[in-house]
Amino acid sequence: MIFGIGTDVCDIRRIRRSVERHGERFAERILGPQEMAVWRARSARWPERGLRYLATRFSAKESFSKAIGLGMVSPMAWSLCEIVNQPSGQPAIVLHGALKEWFEARRLHAHITVTDETDYAATFVVVEHLTTPP
């Protein structure tokens, strides 16, 4: 059964301005440890690709927070939600700490898709309530 749906469109130019204004501090506020490592590696090699990565993660976390119905209110926190790529390249949500506990206590499971094109990143999240174990 569907618990919630969230979507977000992010202007990559806005993310670029935030990084120019705040530097790495902006990324540190948004990204978890695994994401931060990927962002640094991509930014070092292809700065534009690093910005796109950061924008998709920002957008994905916005979508996820909408799908679970919390917005950016505890236990939802930027760093407790990471969007990682599985070996196939498919994105997946990995939760930590209080957010993971909250999510698991409700027997929820999330599906996510991310995309970017020129100036925009877009994401879509469906959270379902599991009636049987995954």
Side-chain angles (χ1 to χ4, degrees), residues 2-67:
I2 292 183
F3 180 84
I5 298 170
T7 189
D8 187 75
V9 176
C10 179
D11 189 331
I12 296 170
R13 296 166 295 190
R14 180 175 154 228
I15 299 299
R16 179 181 291 107
R17 287 190 300 271
S18 293
V19 170
E20 288 169 354
R21 195 168 35 251
H22 303 289
E24 196 167 287
R25 278 189 356 227
F26 178 76
E28 289 170 343
R29 182 171 167 250
I30 304 303
L31 303 176
Q34 288 178 289
E35 294 168 318
M36 200 63 195
V38 173
W39 179 73
R40 285 182 175 137
R42 288 187 182 186
S43 294
R45 192 157 178 198
W46 305 285
E48 186 62 27
R49 190 164 177 222
L51 286 171
R52 290 176 184 283
Y53 177 84
L54 182 56
T56 59
R57 273 40 191 182
F58 181 92
S59 179
K61 293 173 189 204
E62 286 281 333
S63 292
F64 178 74
S65 72
K66 293 170 187 176

Short mmCIF file of all heavy atoms in Angstrom, two decimals, residues 2-67:
data_model
loop_
_atom_site.label_atom_id
_atom_site.label_comp_id
_atom_site.label_asym_id
_atom_site.label_seq_id
_atom_site.Cartn_x
_atom_site.Cartn_y
_atom_site.Cartn_z
N ILE A 2 0.53 2.24 -0.79
CA ILE A 2 1.34 3.45 -0.88
C ILE A 2 1.15 4.30 0.38
O ILE A 2 0.03 4.58 0.79
CB ILE A 2 1.00 4.27 -2.14
CG1 ILE A 2 1.46 3.49 -3.37
CG2 ILE A 2 1.65 5.64 -2.09
CD1 ILE A 2 1.25 4.18 -4.68
N PHE A 3 2.26 4.67 0.97
CA PHE A 3 2.29 5.52 2.16
C PHE A 3 2.38 6.99 1.76
O PHE A 3 1.75 7.85 2.36
CB PHE A 3 3.50 5.12 3.03
CG PHE A 3 3.65 5.92 4.28
CD1 PHE A 3 2.96 5.57 5.43
CD2 PHE A 3 4.51 7.01 4.34
CE1 PHE A 3 3.11 6.30 6.59
CE2 PHE A 3 4.68 7.74 5.49
CZ PHE A 3 3.96 7.38 6.63
N GLY A 4 3.20 7.27 0.73
CA GLY A 4 3.35 8.64 0.28
C GLY A 4 4.13 8.74 -1.01
O GLY A 4 4.86 7.82 -1.40
N ILE A 5 3.96 9.87 -1.69
CA ILE A 5 4.64 10.16 -2.94
C ILE A 5 5.25 11.55 -2.83
O ILE A 5 4.62 12.46 -2.30
CB ILE A 5 3.66 10.11 -4.14
CG1 ILE A 5 3.07 8.71 -4.28
CG2 ILE A 5 4.35 10.54 -5.43
CD1 ILE A 5 1.92 8.63 -5.27
N GLY A 6 6.47 11.70 -3.33
CA GLY A 6 7.11 13.02 -3.33
C GLY A 6 7.84 13.25 -4.63
O GLY A 6 8.40 12.32 -5.22
N THR A 7 7.85 14.49 -5.07
CA THR A 7 8.59 14.85 -6.27
C THR A 7 9.23 16.21 -6.06
O THR A 7 8.77 17.00 -5.24
CB THR A 7 7.67 14.83 -7.53
OG1 THR A 7 8.48 14.97 -8.68
CG2 THR A 7 6.63 15.92 -7.47
N ASP A 8 10.30 16.47 -6.81
CA ASP A 8 10.98 17.76 -6.69
C ASP A 8 11.73 18.04 -7.98
O ASP A 8 12.24 17.12 -8.62
CB ASP A 8 11.97 17.73 -5.52
CG ASP A 8 12.57 19.10 -5.25
OD1 ASP A 8 11.85 19.95 -4.69
OD2 ASP A 8 13.73 19.33 -5.62
N VAL A 9 11.78 19.30 -8.35
CA VAL A 9 12.59 19.78 -9.46
C VAL A 9 13.53 20.82 -8.88
O VAL A 9 13.10 21.73 -8.17
CB VAL A 9 11.73 20.39 -10.58
CG1 VAL A 9 12.61 20.96 -11.68
CG2 VAL A 9 10.77 19.36 -11.14
N CYS A 10 14.81 20.68 -9.16
CA CYS A 10 15.83 21.57 -8.61
C CYS A 10 16.58 22.26 -9.74
O CYS A 10 17.03 21.61 -10.68
CB CYS A 10 16.79 20.75 -7.76
SG CYS A 10 18.14 21.68 -7.04
N ASP A 11 16.72 23.55 -9.63
CA ASP A 11 17.47 24.33 -10.61
C ASP A 11 18.96 24.19 -10.28
O ASP A 11 19.41 24.65 -9.22
CB ASP A 11 17.02 25.78 -10.56
CG ASP A 11 17.58 26.63 -11.68
OD1 ASP A 11 18.68 26.33 -12.17
OD2 ASP A 11 16.91 27.61 -12.05
N ILE A 12 19.71 23.56 -11.14
CA ILE A 12 21.14 23.33 -10.90
C ILE A 12 21.90 24.65 -10.77
O ILE A 12 22.86 24.75 -10.01
CB ILE A 12 21.74 22.43 -12.00
CG1 ILE A 12 21.08 21.04 -11.96
CG2 ILE A 12 23.26 22.30 -11.86
CD1 ILE A 12 21.39 20.14 -13.13
N ARG A 13 21.43 25.68 -11.44
CA ARG A 13 22.07 27.00 -11.32
C ARG A 13 21.98 27.52 -9.90
O ARG A 13 22.90 28.18 -9.41
CB ARG A 13 21.44 27.98 -12.31
CG ARG A 13 21.67 27.56 -13.78
CD ARG A 13 20.78 28.32 -14.72
NE ARG A 13 19.38 27.96 -14.47
CZ ARG A 13 18.36 28.29 -15.23
NH1 ARG A 13 18.56 29.02 -16.32
NH2 ARG A 13 17.12 27.91 -14.95
N ARG A 14 20.89 27.21 -9.21
CA ARG A 14 20.73 27.61 -7.81
C ARG A 14 21.76 26.89 -6.92
O ARG A 14 22.36 27.49 -6.02
CB ARG A 14 19.31 27.28 -7.36
CG ARG A 14 19.03 27.63 -5.95
CD ARG A 14 17.55 27.38 -5.63
NE ARG A 14 17.41 27.13 -4.22
CZ ARG A 14 16.73 26.15 -3.69
NH1 ARG A 14 16.08 25.30 -4.45
NH2 ARG A 14 16.66 25.99 -2.40
N ILE A 15 21.97 25.62 -7.19
CA ILE A 15 22.97 24.85 -6.44
C ILE A 15 24.36 25.42 -6.71
O ILE A 15 25.17 25.58 -5.80
CB ILE A 15 22.89 23.35 -6.81
CG1 ILE A 15 21.51 22.78 -6.46
CG2 ILE A 15 24.01 22.56 -6.16
CD1 ILE A 15 21.13 22.84 -5.00
N ARG A 16 24.64 25.75 -7.97
CA ARG A 16 25.92 26.35 -8.34
C ARG A 16 26.18 27.62 -7.54
O ARG A 16 27.25 27.82 -6.99
CB ARG A 16 25.99 26.64 -9.84
CG ARG A 16 27.31 27.28 -10.28
CD ARG A 16 27.36 27.60 -11.77
NE ARG A 16 27.40 26.35 -12.54
CZ ARG A 16 26.40 25.86 -13.27
NH1 ARG A 16 25.25 26.50 -13.37
NH2 ARG A 16 26.54 24.73 -13.92
N ARG A 17 25.17 28.49 -7.44
CA ARG A 17 25.32 29.74 -6.69
C ARG A 17 25.57 29.47 -5.21
O ARG A 17 26.37 30.15 -4.57
CB ARG A 17 24.08 30.63 -6.88
CG ARG A 17 24.01 31.26 -8.26
CD ARG A 17 22.93 32.33 -8.36
NE ARG A 17 21.58 31.84 -8.08
CZ ARG A 17 20.76 31.32 -9.00
NH1 ARG A 17 21.15 31.22 -10.27
NH2 ARG A 17 19.54 30.92 -8.66
N SER A 18 24.90 28.47 -4.66
CA SER A 18 25.11 28.12 -3.25
C SER A 18 26.52 27.62 -3.00
O SER A 18 27.15 27.98 -2.01
CB SER A 18 24.09 27.07 -2.81
OG SER A 18 22.80 27.61 -2.81
N VAL A 19 27.03 26.80 -3.92
CA VAL A 19 28.41 26.30 -3.78
C VAL A 19 29.40 27.44 -3.94
O VAL A 19 30.38 27.53 -3.19
CB VAL A 19 28.69 25.15 -4.78
CG1 VAL A 19 30.16 24.79 -4.82
CG2 VAL A 19 27.83 23.93 -4.44
N GLU A 20 29.15 28.34 -4.88
CA GLU A 20 30.04 29.51 -5.06
C GLU A 20 30.04 30.39 -3.82
O GLU A 20 31.08 30.91 -3.42
CB GLU A 20 29.60 30.33 -6.27
CG GLU A 20 29.90 29.64 -7.59
CD GLU A 20 29.24 30.31 -8.80
OE1 GLU A 20 28.43 31.26 -8.61
OE2 GLU A 20 29.51 29.86 -9.93
N ARG A 21 28.89 30.53 -3.19
CA ARG A 21 28.76 31.40 -2.02
C ARG A 21 29.28 30.75 -0.74
O ARG A 21 29.94 31.39 0.07
CB ARG A 21 27.28 31.76 -1.86
CG ARG A 21 27.00 32.91 -0.95
CD ARG A 21 25.56 33.43 -1.01
NE ARG A 21 24.51 32.44 -1.23
CZ ARG A 21 23.81 32.29 -2.36
NH1 ARG A 21 24.02 33.08 -3.38
NH2 ARG A 21 22.88 31.37 -2.46
N HIS A 22 29.01 29.45 -0.56
CA HIS A 22 29.33 28.78 0.71
C HIS A 22 30.41 27.72 0.60
O HIS A 22 30.81 27.15 1.62
CB HIS A 22 28.07 28.16 1.30
CG HIS A 22 26.97 29.13 1.52
ND1 HIS A 22 27.00 30.09 2.50
CD2 HIS A 22 25.80 29.31 0.85
CE1 HIS A 22 25.89 30.82 2.45
NE2 HIS A 22 25.15 30.37 1.44
N GLY A 23 30.84 27.42 -0.61
CA GLY A 23 31.89 26.42 -0.80
C GLY A 23 31.45 25.04 -0.36
O GLY A 23 30.27 24.68 -0.41
N GLU A 24 32.39 24.26 0.10
CA GLU A 24 32.15 22.87 0.48
C GLU A 24 31.19 22.76 1.67
O GLU A 24 30.55 21.74 1.86
CB GLU A 24 33.48 22.18 0.79
CG GLU A 24 33.35 20.70 0.82
CD GLU A 24 34.68 19.98 0.81
OE1 GLU A 24 35.33 19.97 -0.25
OE2 GLU A 24 35.04 19.43 1.86
N ARG A 25 31.07 23.82 2.46
CA ARG A 25 30.14 23.79 3.61
C ARG A 25 28.72 23.47 3.17
O ARG A 25 27.98 22.79 3.88
CB ARG A 25 30.14 25.14 4.34
CG ARG A 25 31.26 25.31 5.31
CD ARG A 25 31.09 26.56 6.16
NE ARG A 25 29.94 27.36 5.80
CZ ARG A 25 29.94 28.67 5.64
NH1 ARG A 25 31.04 29.36 5.81
NH2 ARG A 25 28.83 29.32 5.32
N PHE A 26 28.31 23.99 2.01
CA PHE A 26 26.97 23.71 1.51
C PHE A 26 26.80 22.21 1.26
O PHE A 26 25.82 21.61 1.69
CB PHE A 26 26.68 24.50 0.23
CG PHE A 26 25.32 24.21 -0.34
CD1 PHE A 26 24.18 24.74 0.24
CD2 PHE A 26 25.18 23.39 -1.45
CE1 PHE A 26 22.92 24.47 -0.28
CE2 PHE A 26 23.93 23.10 -1.98
CZ PHE A 26 22.80 23.64 -1.39
N ALA A 27 27.75 21.61 0.58
CA ALA A 27 27.69 20.17 0.30
C ALA A 27 27.72 19.37 1.61
O ALA A 27 26.99 18.38 1.75
CB ALA A 27 28.83 19.76 -0.61
N GLU A 28 28.54 19.78 2.56
CA GLU A 28 28.63 19.07 3.84
C GLU A 28 27.30 19.09 4.59
O GLU A 28 27.00 18.16 5.34
CB GLU A 28 29.73 19.66 4.70
CG GLU A 28 31.12 19.34 4.18
CD GLU A 28 32.22 20.11 4.90
OE1 GLU A 28 31.92 21.12 5.57
OE2 GLU A 28 33.39 19.71 4.75
N ARG A 29 26.53 20.13 4.41
CA ARG A 29 25.23 20.25 5.07
C ARG A 29 24.21 19.30 4.44
O ARG A 29 23.33 18.78 5.11
CB ARG A 29 24.73 21.68 4.98
CG ARG A 29 23.43 21.91 5.68
CD ARG A 29 23.08 23.40 5.73
NE ARG A 29 21.71 23.51 6.12
CZ ARG A 29 20.72 23.91 5.34
NH1 ARG A 29 20.98 24.28 4.10
NH2 ARG A 29 19.49 23.97 5.77
N ILE A 30 24.31 19.07 3.15
CA ILE A 30 23.33 18.29 2.40
C ILE A 30 23.68 16.80 2.33
O ILE A 30 22.81 15.94 2.43
CB ILE A 30 23.19 18.84 0.95
CG1 ILE A 30 22.83 20.31 0.96
CG2 ILE A 30 22.20 18.00 0.13
CD1 ILE A 30 21.57 20.66 1.70
N LEU A 31 24.95 16.49 2.16
CA LEU A 31 25.38 15.12 1.85
C LEU A 31 25.81 14.33 3.08
O LEU A 31 26.39 14.88 4.01
CB LEU A 31 26.53 15.16 0.85
CG LEU A 31 26.25 15.88 -0.47
CD1 LEU A 31 27.50 15.92 -1.32
CD2 LEU A 31 25.09 15.23 -1.22
N GLY A 32 25.57 13.02 3.02
CA GLY A 32 26.08 12.10 4.02
C GLY A 32 27.49 11.68 3.63
O GLY A 32 28.00 12.06 2.57
N PRO A 33 28.14 10.87 4.46
CA PRO A 33 29.54 10.49 4.22
C PRO A 33 29.80 9.81 2.87
O PRO A 33 30.76 10.17 2.18
CB PRO A 33 29.87 9.54 5.38
CG PRO A 33 28.86 9.84 6.43
CD PRO A 33 27.64 10.34 5.72
N GLN A 34 28.97 8.84 2.49
CA GLN A 34 29.18 8.16 1.20
C GLN A 34 28.99 9.13 0.04
O GLN A 34 29.75 9.13 -0.92
CB GLN A 34 28.21 6.99 1.04
CG GLN A 34 28.51 5.80 1.92
CD GLN A 34 27.46 4.73 1.72
OE1 GLN A 34 26.31 4.87 2.13
NE2 GLN A 34 27.86 3.64 1.08
N GLU A 35 27.96 9.95 0.14
CA GLU A 35 27.68 10.92 -0.92
C GLU A 35 28.80 11.95 -1.02
O GLU A 35 29.17 12.36 -2.12
CB GLU A 35 26.37 11.66 -0.63
CG GLU A 35 25.15 10.78 -0.68
CD GLU A 35 23.94 11.47 -0.11
OE1 GLU A 35 24.05 12.15 0.93
OE2 GLU A 35 22.86 11.35 -0.72
N MET A 36 29.32 12.36 0.12
CA MET A 36 30.38 13.37 0.13
C MET A 36 31.61 12.87 -0.62
O MET A 36 32.23 13.62 -1.39
CB MET A 36 30.72 13.72 1.58
CG MET A 36 31.41 15.00 1.79
SD MET A 36 30.41 16.40 1.29
CE MET A 36 31.69 17.59 1.25
N ALA A 37 31.95 11.62 -0.43
CA ALA A 37 33.11 11.04 -1.12
C ALA A 37 32.89 11.05 -2.64
O ALA A 37 33.79 11.39 -3.40
CB ALA A 37 33.36 9.62 -0.62
N VAL A 38 31.68 10.68 -3.07
CA VAL A 38 31.38 10.68 -4.50
C VAL A 38 31.41 12.11 -5.04
O VAL A 38 31.98 12.38 -6.10
CB VAL A 38 30.00 10.02 -4.78
CG1 VAL A 38 29.59 10.17 -6.24
CG2 VAL A 38 30.02 8.55 -4.38
N TRP A 39 30.80 13.04 -4.31
CA TRP A 39 30.76 14.43 -4.75
C TRP A 39 32.17 15.01 -4.92
O TRP A 39 32.47 15.65 -5.92
CB TRP A 39 29.97 15.29 -3.76
CG TRP A 39 29.93 16.72 -4.16
CD1 TRP A 39 29.20 17.27 -5.17
CD2 TRP A 39 30.67 17.79 -3.58
NE1 TRP A 39 29.43 18.62 -5.25
CE2 TRP A 39 30.33 18.97 -4.29
CE3 TRP A 39 31.58 17.88 -2.53
CZ2 TRP A 39 30.88 20.21 -3.97
CZ3 TRP A 39 32.12 19.11 -2.21
CH2 TRP A 39 31.77 20.25 -2.95
N ARG A 40 33.04 14.76 -3.95
CA ARG A 40 34.42 15.26 -4.04
C ARG A 40 35.14 14.68 -5.25
O ARG A 40 35.84 15.40 -5.97
CB ARG A 40 35.18 14.95 -2.76
CG ARG A 40 34.79 15.85 -1.62
CD ARG A 40 35.59 15.55 -0.37
NE ARG A 40 35.27 16.51 0.67
CZ ARG A 40 35.07 16.18 1.95
NH1 ARG A 40 35.17 14.92 2.34
NH2 ARG A 40 34.77 17.11 2.83
N ALA A 41 35.00 13.38 -5.47
CA ALA A 41 35.67 12.73 -6.60
C ALA A 41 35.15 13.28 -7.93
O ALA A 41 35.94 13.61 -8.82
CB ALA A 41 35.47 11.22 -6.54
N ARG A 42 33.84 13.40 -8.06
CA ARG A 42 33.28 13.91 -9.32
C ARG A 42 33.64 15.37 -9.53
O ARG A 42 33.95 15.79 -10.64
CB ARG A 42 31.76 13.74 -9.33
CG ARG A 42 31.36 12.30 -9.49
CD ARG A 42 29.88 12.16 -9.66
NE ARG A 42 29.54 10.74 -9.76
CZ ARG A 42 28.35 10.30 -10.02
NH1 ARG A 42 27.36 11.14 -10.23
NH2 ARG A 42 28.12 9.01 -10.07
N SER A 43 33.58 16.16 -8.46
CA SER A 43 33.89 17.59 -8.57
C SER A 43 35.34 17.83 -8.95
O SER A 43 35.65 18.76 -9.69
CB SER A 43 33.57 18.31 -7.27
OG SER A 43 32.19 18.28 -7.02
N ALA A 44 36.22 16.99 -8.44
CA ALA A 44 37.65 17.15 -8.74
C ALA A 44 37.92 16.86 -10.22
O ALA A 44 38.74 17.54 -10.84
CB ALA A 44 38.48 16.21 -7.86
N ARG A 45 37.23 15.88 -10.75
CA ARG A 45 37.48 15.49 -12.13
C ARG A 45 36.64 16.28 -13.14
O ARG A 45 37.14 16.69 -14.17
CB ARG A 45 37.20 14.00 -12.29
CG ARG A 45 37.70 13.47 -13.59
CD ARG A 45 37.93 11.99 -13.53
NE ARG A 45 38.36 11.55 -14.83
CZ ARG A 45 38.33 10.31 -15.23
NH1 ARG A 45 37.92 9.38 -14.41
NH2 ARG A 45 38.74 9.99 -16.43
N TRP A 46 35.36 16.46 -12.81
CA TRP A 46 34.42 17.18 -13.69
C TRP A 46 33.55 18.08 -12.82
O TRP A 46 32.50 17.63 -12.35
CB TRP A 46 33.50 16.22 -14.44
CG TRP A 46 34.18 15.15 -15.22
CD1 TRP A 46 34.82 15.31 -16.41
CD2 TRP A 46 34.24 13.75 -14.90
NE1 TRP A 46 35.29 14.10 -16.85
CE2 TRP A 46 34.94 13.13 -15.94
CE3 TRP A 46 33.77 12.98 -13.84
CZ2 TRP A 46 35.19 11.75 -15.94
CZ3 TRP A 46 34.02 11.64 -13.84
CH2 TRP A 46 34.72 11.03 -14.88
N PRO A 47 33.93 19.32 -12.60
CA PRO A 47 33.15 20.20 -11.70
C PRO A 47 31.65 20.26 -12.03
O PRO A 47 30.83 20.25 -11.12
CB PRO A 47 33.82 21.56 -11.87
CG PRO A 47 35.23 21.22 -12.27
CD PRO A 47 35.13 19.99 -13.11
N GLU A 48 31.31 20.31 -13.30
CA GLU A 48 29.89 20.38 -13.66
C GLU A 48 29.15 19.10 -13.25
O GLU A 48 28.01 19.15 -12.79
CB GLU A 48 29.74 20.63 -15.17
CG GLU A 48 28.31 20.86 -15.61
CD GLU A 48 27.65 22.09 -15.00
OE1 GLU A 48 28.36 23.06 -14.64
OE2 GLU A 48 26.41 22.08 -14.88
N ARG A 49 29.81 17.98 -13.41
CA ARG A 49 29.20 16.70 -13.01
C ARG A 49 29.01 16.66 -11.49
O ARG A 49 28.02 16.11 -11.00
CB ARG A 49 30.06 15.54 -13.49
CG ARG A 49 29.40 14.21 -13.34
CD ARG A 49 30.09 13.15 -14.16
NE ARG A 49 29.44 11.87 -13.94
CZ ARG A 49 30.07 10.74 -13.78
NH1 ARG A 49 31.38 10.69 -13.87
NH2 ARG A 49 29.42 9.62 -13.57
N GLY A 50 29.94 17.24 -10.76
CA GLY A 50 29.80 17.34 -9.30
C GLY A 50 28.58 18.16 -8.91
O GLY A 50 27.83 17.80 -8.00
N LEU A 51 28.35 19.27 -9.60
CA LEU A 51 27.18 20.11 -9.33
C LEU A 51 25.88 19.35 -9.63
O LEU A 51 24.91 19.44 -8.86
CB LEU A 51 27.23 21.39 -10.15
CG LEU A 51 28.22 22.44 -9.66
CD1 LEU A 51 28.33 23.57 -10.67
CD2 LEU A 51 27.80 22.97 -8.30
N ARG A 52 25.86 18.62 -10.72
CA ARG A 52 24.67 17.84 -11.07
C ARG A 52 24.40 16.76 -10.01
O ARG A 52 23.25 16.52 -9.62
CB ARG A 52 24.83 17.19 -12.44
CG ARG A 52 24.79 18.18 -13.58
CD ARG A 52 25.04 17.48 -14.91
NE ARG A 52 25.11 18.42 -15.99
CZ ARG A 52 24.05 19.01 -16.54
NH1 ARG A 52 22.85 18.71 -16.10
NH2 ARG A 52 24.19 19.88 -17.51
N TYR A 53 25.45 16.14 -9.54
CA TYR A 53 25.32 15.12 -8.50
C TYR A 53 24.73 15.75 -7.24
O TYR A 53 23.78 15.21 -6.65
CB TYR A 53 26.68 14.49 -8.21
CG TYR A 53 26.66 13.48 -7.10
CD1 TYR A 53 26.30 12.16 -7.36
CD2 TYR A 53 26.98 13.82 -5.81
CE1 TYR A 53 26.27 11.21 -6.35
CE2 TYR A 53 26.95 12.89 -4.78
CZ TYR A 53 26.60 11.59 -5.06
OH TYR A 53 26.55 10.66 -4.06
N LEU A 54 25.27 16.87 -6.83
CA LEU A 54 24.78 17.56 -5.63
C LEU A 54 23.32 17.96 -5.80
O LEU A 54 22.51 17.80 -4.88
CB LEU A 54 25.66 18.77 -5.33
CG LEU A 54 25.34 19.57 -4.08
CD1 LEU A 54 25.34 18.71 -2.83
CD2 LEU A 54 26.35 20.71 -3.93
N ALA A 55 22.96 18.46 -6.96
CA ALA A 55 21.58 18.87 -7.23
C ALA A 55 20.62 17.68 -7.18
O ALA A 55 19.51 17.80 -6.62
CB ALA A 55 21.49 19.57 -8.57
N THR A 56 21.02 16.54 -7.73
CA THR A 56 20.13 15.38 -7.69
C THR A 56 19.95 14.89 -6.26
O THR A 56 18.85 14.47 -5.88
CB THR A 56 20.60 14.22 -8.59
OG1 THR A 56 21.90 13.79 -8.20
CG2 THR A 56 20.59 14.60 -10.06
N ARG A 57 20.99 14.94 -5.46
CA ARG A 57 20.88 14.49 -4.07
C ARG A 57 20.01 15.45 -3.26
O ARG A 57 19.19 15.04 -2.45
CB ARG A 57 22.26 14.32 -3.43
CG ARG A 57 22.91 12.95 -3.65
CD ARG A 57 22.70 12.43 -5.01
NE ARG A 57 23.09 11.03 -5.19
CZ ARG A 57 23.01 10.41 -6.33
NH1 ARG A 57 22.55 11.02 -7.40
NH2 ARG A 57 23.34 9.16 -6.44
N PHE A 58 20.18 16.75 -3.48
CA PHE A 58 19.35 17.75 -2.82
C PHE A 58 17.88 17.51 -3.18
O PHE A 58 17.01 17.43 -2.31
CB PHE A 58 19.79 19.15 -3.27
CG PHE A 58 19.02 20.27 -2.62
CD1 PHE A 58 19.48 20.86 -1.46
CD2 PHE A 58 17.86 20.74 -3.19
CE1 PHE A 58 18.77 21.89 -0.86
CE2 PHE A 58 17.14 21.78 -2.61
CZ PHE A 58 17.60 22.35 -1.44
N SER A 59 17.60 17.36 -4.46
CA SER A 59 16.25 17.13 -4.94
C SER A 59 15.67 15.82 -4.39
O SER A 59 14.51 15.76 -3.98
CB SER A 59 16.24 17.12 -6.47
OG SER A 59 14.95 16.88 -6.97
N ALA A 60 16.47 14.78 -4.37
CA ALA A 60 16.00 13.48 -3.89
C ALA A 60 15.60 13.53 -2.42
O ALA A 60 14.59 12.95 -2.02
CB ALA A 60 17.09 12.43 -4.10
N LYS A 61 16.37 14.23 -1.63
CA LYS A 61 16.05 14.34 -0.21
C LYS A 61 14.79 15.17 0.01
O LYS A 61 13.98 14.88 0.90
CB LYS A 61 17.24 14.90 0.56
CG LYS A 61 18.40 13.89 0.53
CD LYS A 61 19.66 14.45 1.11
CE LYS A 61 20.81 13.49 0.83
NZ LYS A 61 21.90 13.61 1.77
N GLU A 62 14.60 16.18 -0.82
CA GLU A 62 13.35 16.96 -0.77
C GLU A 62 12.17 16.05 -1.12
O GLU A 62 11.14 16.07 -0.44
CB GLU A 62 13.42 18.13 -1.75
CG GLU A 62 14.31 19.27 -1.31
CD GLU A 62 13.65 20.17 -0.27
OE1 GLU A 62 12.40 20.27 -0.24
OE2 GLU A 62 14.39 20.76 0.53
N SER A 63 12.31 15.26 -2.17
CA SER A 63 11.23 14.35 -2.57
C SER A 63 10.94 13.33 -1.48
O SER A 63 9.78 13.04 -1.18
CB SER A 63 11.62 13.60 -3.86
OG SER A 63 11.66 14.46 -4.94
N PHE A 64 11.99 12.78 -0.91
CA PHE A 64 11.81 11.77 0.14
C PHE A 64 11.09 12.37 1.35
O PHE A 64 10.17 11.77 1.90
CB PHE A 64 13.17 11.19 0.55
CG PHE A 64 13.07 10.17 1.65
CD1 PHE A 64 12.58 8.91 1.40
CD2 PHE A 64 13.47 10.49 2.94
CE1 PHE A 64 12.47 7.97 2.42
CE2 PHE A 64 13.36 9.57 3.96
CZ PHE A 64 12.86 8.29 3.71
N SER A 65 11.50 13.58 1.74
CA SER A 65 10.87 14.21 2.91
C SER A 65 9.38 14.46 2.66
O SER A 65 8.56 14.36 3.58
CB SER A 65 11.59 15.50 3.28
OG SER A 65 11.34 16.53 2.35
N LYS A 66 9.03 14.77 1.43
CA LYS A 66 7.61 14.96 1.07
C LYS A 66 6.87 13.62 1.11
O LYS A 66 5.74 13.54 1.58
CB LYS A 66 7.50 15.59 -0.31
CG LYS A 66 8.02 17.02 -0.37
CD LYS A 66 8.10 17.51 -1.80
CE LYS A 66 8.77 18.87 -1.89
NZ LYS A 66 8.95 19.30 -3.29
N ALA A 67 7.51 12.57 0.59
CA ALA A 67 6.86 11.26 0.53
C ALA A 67 6.58 10.69 1.92
O ALA A 67 5.58 9.99 2.10
CB ALA A 67 7.71 10.29 -0.28
#
